[in-house]
């Protein structure tokens, strides 16, 4: 069984940068595509970013393209989300997810494993 734990969230100001981490345990995720999703109060969970099994291909939501970067370090069994130029509308609980396939995906239903989430709040 794979367990995913997000960390790195917190309270920041508009324009700040922050890096979220997703640490996997139980099994290696080196053969899993990984993704980040977020959910703001009163809104549905939305796709943020995805990365294939070795990091050679990435996908981003239009709302974060050019500001966020997803990466992975398979030796550390960890996935990251580097966030820059943060805005109040980025405030949400951020979730990492993994799926038993090597190709990236953008739909929540395509993922098999989910973390518990980490809160990111951006103050104006």
């Amino acid at each position: 069984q794979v367990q995913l734990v997000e960390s790195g969230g917190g309270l920041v100001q508009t324009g700040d940068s922050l890096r979220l981490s997703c640490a996997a345990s139980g099994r290696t995720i080196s053969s899993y595509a990984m993704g980040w999703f977020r959910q703001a109060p009163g809104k549905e969970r939305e796709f943020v970013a995805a990365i294939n099994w070795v990091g050679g291909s990435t996908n981003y939501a239009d709302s974060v393209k050019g500001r966020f970067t997803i990466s992975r370090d398979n030796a550390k069994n960890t996935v990251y989300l580097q966030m820059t130029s943060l805005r109040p509308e980025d405030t949400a609980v951020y979730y990492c997810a993994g799926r038993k396939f090597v190709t990236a995906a953008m739909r929540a239903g395509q993922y098999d494993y989910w973390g518990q989430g980490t809160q990111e709040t951006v103050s104006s």
Side-chain angles (χ1 to χ4, degrees):
Q1 182 177 357
V2 176
Q3 291 183 305
L4 304 175
V5 180
E6 303 94 338
S7 62
L11 176 62
V12 298
Q13 301 293 320
T14 297
D16 282 357
S17 298
L18 197 66
R19 188 178 74 166
L20 305 182
S21 298
C22 175
S25 62
R27 290 180 179 270
T28 178
I29 59 169
S30 61
S31 296
Y32 288 17
M34 303 293 294
W36 285 95
F37 292 77
R38 67 186 182 186
Q39 187 167 18
K43 294 186 177 181
E44 298 295 321
R45 186 173 299 185
E46 66 175 351
F47 168 77
V48 176
I51 189 167
N52 75 346
W53 67 310
V54 292
S57 180
T58 57
N59 299 95
Y60 297 94
D62 289 341
S63 60
V64 306
K65 195 172 298 181
R67 299 188 298 119
F68 290 12
T69 302
I70 186 172
S71 62
R72 66 192 300 161
D73 187 339
N74 285 342
K76 296 180 179 179
N77 221 28
T78 302
V79 180
Y80 305 96
L81 183 67
Q82 179 66 51
M83 304 182 292
T84 64
S85 301
L86 284 165
R87 309 163 180 168
E89 52 263 44
D90 294 318
T91 295
V93 176
Y94 284 73
Y95 300 88
C96 66
R99 73 193 205 107
K100 299 177 182 178
F101 300 91
V102 299
T103 54
M106 299 172 64
R107 298 178 180 178
Q110 295 178 286
Y111 288 84
D112 302 295
Y113 305 103
W114 292 85
Q116 293 300 117
T118 184
Q119 177 71 50
E120 170 61 24
T121 302
V122 184
S123 177
S124 61

